[in-house]
Amino acid sequence: MIEVGIFTTGGADVPFETSRSGIRIPAASIEEINAAAQRVTNGQIRQGVIADRMGFDYFWMSEHHFIFEGSELSPNPIQSQTAIAALTKRIRLAQAANILTWWHPLRLAEQLAILDTISGGRLDVGLGRGYQPRETETFGYSYGSSHGDQERNRAYFEEAIDLIRKAWTEPSFSFHGDFFSVPTKYTPWGHPVTAAYWDAHGGNERVNEVMGPADGDISIDPMRMDPNGLMRQISLLPRPVQQPHPPLWQLMVSPRSLDNAARNGFNGYSNLVPNGALRKQIDSYIASCERFGWPDARGDGDAFKPGWDSARHRGLITGRWIHVDEPGVGNAKKFRAGLEAVWDWYHPFGFSALVTGDPTVPATTDLLEQGDLALVGSKDRVIEGIMRIKEEVYGDSDFFFNCQFEAPGLTSSENEEQIQYFAEEILPVLRRECGGGPDLPQTTVDLIPEVVAAVEAAAAS
């Protein structure tokens, strides 16, 4: 079986130029970049809807902020995917990734739970730690999850995961760690409605679990909380539709992140990795999962297929840049120029090591194509490249593959042309060669007919 998704990072749709230093930059003012960000935001939502209607299984988005350099921008994937959820029927919605060190965990948990609720349980949750200091220092400073102190950043990440899981799986809860105390030990709360509710639905013992002793009378002055009644537990609402919670994912970059994902029972997304290295990552991931007791949130077995297991929704996946250049579709020259801009951006962060083996050696479009990290050219070239990943890496297991059609400089209509062509000409071939695709149920919570009916009824009256 093969599952196929789309991954979008929000490259600017403006023209690019070569600067005096030889790197690719937008040929646009900051105001033109802003207008491009507005167009791209709407384009991403439209592409998510198109992907659903064209038969793709997943739509993935990244989280990045402040990037006026044009390489990527996706400041709120949850908000964009909530719009997509309301307009789609079956496609699953995922992030690669929500950067947990930029969020209060409970705020993130609430927003993700709302997305899972609105979509009818079609959410996959990707989590990451962040690697760009401009973003991490801006959003993480108030939580102490700084870019400069990587061990503290990791500790925050681990604690935040524990807090989110607890909030999603317990009707009411408390949590006390190094970064968060929820509720705080000094939170006054002697509200009579709270006490009356738990007295009716949990008994006096439950009242004492949730609220501290109030010296008899739990009534409060309307101007202040009773200083004798302290809050002991809170509830996060709504909790996710999926039980015990939506599938969790982590981006794989280092052996440590791979090991951490296995220990936490996370699926792995390993991008920009050549076939040989990807196979080794999968082997290491499976070995780590076995060492940690095959953690599986669904609890339906102690093993899964070595690679991707569609039935258990479990394993490690990958993706590639895709651009079909056939008569009447595509522009390989423009796409390759966009990849140059992407890698002028990625190289200073050290990502070239994933392609060249040396962080000081830049990744070129030629190297990306030679390593099948960018599949550019004819329909047959794209199919052969994808099937080579299946044969060399995934073997007899199921296969989960993400397509990244966009590149800086391409317009939304050019990206959508690629989506449609791939869906009509390539996806059926992959389904046939890989034994079909998943039967995703139509699980959307259809809000629109109710709204329309209410409007019509109001108009009639």
Side-chain angles (χ1 to χ4, degrees), residues 102-347:
W102 303 343
W103 287 81
H104 189 292
L106 295 184
R107 178 74 76 182
L108 181 62
E110 283 179 334
Q111 293 199 19
L112 289 166
I114 289 170
L115 175 51
D116 196 50
T117 299
I118 290 173
S119 68
R122 291 186 282 137
L123 172 66
D124 282 63
V125 177
L127 299 172
R129 295 196 304 112
Y131 67 89
Q132 296 185 21
R134 180 168 61 185
E135 300 168 305
T136 303
E137 295 302 329
T138 299
F139 285 127
Y141 78 94
S142 59
Y143 306 127
S145 55
S146 72
H147 180 273
D149 187 344
Q150 287 294 299
E151 291 308 312
R152 185 176 176 86
N153 182 287
R154 286 190 179 92
Y156 179 98
F157 182 77
E158 291 293 327
E159 183 171 307
I161 291 169
D162 292 341
L163 177 52
I164 288 173
R165 275 183 158 149
K166 196 173 187 69
W168 277 348
T169 57
E170 297 183 13
S172 66
F173 68 95
S174 63
F175 182 95
H176 302 289
D178 294 328
F179 296 88
F180 296 99
S181 184
V182 180
T184 60
K185 296 178 180 179
Y186 51 80
T187 301
W189 193 257
H191 202 292
V193 174
T194 306
Y197 176 83
W198 285 116
D199 179 60
H201 296 281
N204 288 329
E205 182 178 346
R206 189 67 173 132
V207 173
N208 291 334
E209 289 177 6
V210 176
M211 299 169 59
D215 293 340
D217 185 8
I218 63 169
S219 63
I220 61 171
D221 185 315
M223 299 301 294
R224 63 182 179 86
M225 296 301 162
D226 187 334
N228 296 315
L230 299 178
M231 197 68 193
R232 289 181 174 176
Q233 294 191 7
I234 61 173
S235 297
L236 185 135
L237 299 170
R239 295 195 300 278
V241 172
Q242 297 179 84
Q243 295 296 316
H245 53 68
L248 299 175
W249 296 74
Q250 186 172 347
L251 288 172
M252 303 290 197
V253 178
S254 66
R256 184 169 179 174
S257 62
L258 187 151
D259 205 54
N260 181 71
R263 177 171 55 82
N264 281 309
F266 285 14
N267 293 322
Y269 186 174
S270 190
N271 213 9
L272 310 177
V273 179
N275 291 359
L278 181 61
R279 180 65 257 176
K280 291 178 182 178
Q281 282 195 347
I282 289 176
D283 291 342
S284 178
Y285 173 72
I286 295 296
S288 293
C289 288
E290 186 173 25
R291 188 169 73 255
F292 291 117
W294 302 94
D296 189 332
R298 295 189 174 193
D300 60 358
D302 61 354
F304 47 86
K305 293 180 181 178
W308 177 252
D309 190 322
S310 289
R312 289 190 172 90
H313 201 79
R314 192 76 167 85
L316 192 152
I317 71 169
T318 193
R320 299 288 187 265
W321 276 286
I322 303 289
H323 190 83
V324 180
D325 193 357
E326 292 273 13
V329 61
N331 184 334
K333 181 179 179 181
K334 187 175 183 181
F335 183 78
R336 289 183 175 112
L339 285 188
E340 289 179 17
V342 168
W343 282 93
D344 281 344
W345 177 253
Y346 283 162
H347 176 63

Side-chain angles (χ1 to χ4, degrees), residues 28-40:
S29 68
I30 192 68
E31 286 304 320
E32 290 169 331
I33 291 292
N34 175 61
Q38 293 169 344
R39 291 192 299 271
V40 169

